Amino acid sequence: MAEPAPVPAAGSLWRDADFVKFWSAETLSLLGAQISLVAIPLLAVTTLSATPFEMGVVTAAQTAPFLLFTLLAGVWVDRVRRLPLLRAANFGRAVVYGVIPLAIVLDLMNIGLLGVLVFVGATLTVVFDLAYQSYLPSLVGNHHLIDANGRLEGSRSFAQAAGPGLGGLLVGVLTAPIAIVVDAATYLISATTLLTVRRKEPTPEPEPGPQTSLLTQIGRGVRLAVSNTYLRALGAEAATYNLFNQMLWAVLILFLSRSLHLSALTIGIALSAEGVGALLGSTVAARLSRRHGLGRTLIASIVVANLAPLLIPAAGGSPVTAAVIVGLALFVNGAGLSIYAIQAISVRQAAVTSDVLGRTNAGYRFAVTGAAAIGALAGGALGGWIGLRPTMLIGGLGTLAAIWFVVRSPIPQLRDLTELEPESATAEARAATAAGDQR
């Protein structure tokens, strides 16, 4: 197996040229993805005159690959080097989104074709997201993992805060097709930047014994995600949080508009507070972890993040007062979630070996995405049955229950990532092979 090039010394991550290139490429990819989230629905509405059903088709095309292909992509990510996958995924997204304005110019575009292209683009995003999280530990090493995740989470927060506004501005000034051209250009520049990353990546070793089926390989990663104490706690917390948080978000806009009588501009400003909080949280996460310990920082941040949404159903009074309360709740929630996510992602990356990291991340993403979809449906149903404010209160209280999974695990006692001994599916594979030989 090829050995990776040495990672930079402590405190010099910004002087690591390969990480800076990777970070720059990921930032561009995230920004492009946020532009797409706004530009593509607006394209469907303004250029293709989509009906509500057709808008549902486009929206489903953006999300379905995360449920359909995440587990399969996890196996693929574990079989090959991740950096070439990252490059290929971004070049692919540049082509896919570049075809959209071209088809419009040639008068070939319709909702069916748009849905297919969006579906393919989202499938490439699934591959990219899993490969990037699995590649990062080999790029920076565990010593820099929290710092690196902090910088990448900061990029994600910036993209979430600035991307939709930029997408809306591009659509308003240059039209939706031109905004998508800009989106395709971000992926092209990102992929080209990744070509300049030179640090050698280890070649994945095949699992011992005879070739196993795809389902068996998926199962090994999922079983490890369930059996590993740290992954099980973080996965259960994330799934529970997403289930109840999406119940709240399913009716949030209706609540702000109909119950609190906030204008569209005020709602937009209030919602942007979450991205601002997340950006702030990403800048202090590593510092807090070094000062107070990884486990304590993780627990404190998730408690703060999960308490904050309870302020939203309590909001009332004048529209200004209500908007301030909602904005404050989202700001605190965003900051806490960002700090928590950086610690949690780092623990997930350090808790298992590289050979199974793609599959365990895939199992995690699959569970979290599925829980979010169920929560959104449940929130919509509850909102019509018991009302908007009670639904949001149930959602807020439910997220508090998620904390229990982490508190009862060994995570609160973690001081830093060096205390983690990464587990592997290789031992399980060897045991299974030996058992087969004995039979």
Side-chain angles (χ1 to χ4, degrees), residues 172-208:
V173 175
L174 302 175
T175 73
I178 300 300
I180 296 174
V181 170
V182 174
D183 176 25
T186 64
Y187 290 127
L188 180 60
I189 297 170
S190 174
T192 304
T193 303
L194 287 172
L195 287 174
T196 66
V197 175
R198 299 302 181 194
R199 181 163 295 128
K200 189 175 293 184
E201 182 184 0
T203 302
E205 290 183 340
E207 291 185 358

Side-chain angles (χ1 to χ4, degrees), residues 3 10 30 57 89 92 94 105 117 120 131 175 195 198 201 220 231 234 242 259 274 295 331-332 360 362 378 392 424:
E3 291 296 328
L30 291 168
V57 170
V105 170
L117 291 171
V120 174
T175 73
L195 287 174
R198 299 302 181 194
E201 182 184 0
R220 284 175 181 164
L231 297 183
L234 293 174
N242 272 23
S259 299
E274 181 159 31
F331 175 86
V332 174
T360 54
M392 299 181 71
S424 171

Side-chain angles (χ1 to χ4, degrees), residues 221-386:
V222 172
R223 280 195 297 274
L224 184 56
V226 173
S227 64
N228 182 281
T229 304
Y230 301 99
L231 297 183
R232 182 173 64 247
L234 293 174
E237 188 282 329
T240 305
Y241 177 86
N242 272 23
L243 176 70
F244 287 100
N245 186 58
Q246 286 303 305
M247 289 173 59
L248 185 150
W249 275 87
V251 297
L252 177 61
I253 302 300
L254 283 175
F255 176 73
L256 299 181
S257 177
R258 296 181 182 177
S259 299
L260 301 184
H261 308 292
L262 303 185
S263 68
L265 176 61
T266 304
I267 291 173
I269 293 172
L271 294 181
S272 68
E274 181 159 31
V276 175
L279 185 59
L280 175 64
S282 70
T283 64
V284 300
R287 194 180 316 157
L288 290 174
S289 180
R290 285 192 294 268
R291 181 171 181 177
H292 302 291
L294 188 155
R296 290 181 180 179
T297 301
L298 188 147
I299 294 297
S301 61
I302 197 61
V303 169
V304 170
N306 290 20
L307 280 172
L310 289 173
L311 285 174
I312 298 176
S318 70
V320 173
T321 301
V324 169
I325 293 173
V326 172
L328 177 63
L330 293 175
F331 175 86
V332 174
N333 176 252
L337 280 181
S338 179
I339 296 169
Y340 170 81
I342 290 165
Q343 321 298 321
I345 291 170
S346 300
V347 170
R348 282 165 41 207
Q349 290 168 329
V352 297
T353 53
S354 179
D355 64 305
V356 77
L357 191 52
R359 279 171 283 176
T360 54
N361 278 332
Y364 176 91
R365 292 288 297 273
F366 181 82
V368 167
T369 304
I374 295 170
L377 291 174
L382 277 176
W385 181 35
I386 64 175

Side-chain angles (χ1 to χ4, degrees), residues 61-134:
Q62 289 178 308
T63 56
F66 290 88
L67 285 175
L68 294 176
F69 302 131
T70 294
L71 294 177
L72 295 173
V75 174
W76 189 23
V77 166
D78 283 338
R79 286 178 172 177
V80 300
R81 290 181 176 177
R82 284 74 183 254
L83 185 56
L85 275 186
L86 295 172
R87 295 165 176 161
N90 269 355
F91 277 124
R93 288 193 286 186
V95 171
V96 168
Y97 290 112
V99 167
I100 294 175
L102 179 61
I104 292 171
V105 170
L106 298 176
D107 198 25
L108 299 174
M109 181 55 69
N110 54 54
I111 286 294
L113 178 58
L114 179 63
V116 170
L117 291 171
V118 168
F119 183 87
V120 174
T123 301
L124 292 170
T125 297
V126 170
V127 175
F128 184 92
D129 287 352
L130 290 176
Y132 122 73
Q133 288 193 351
S134 301

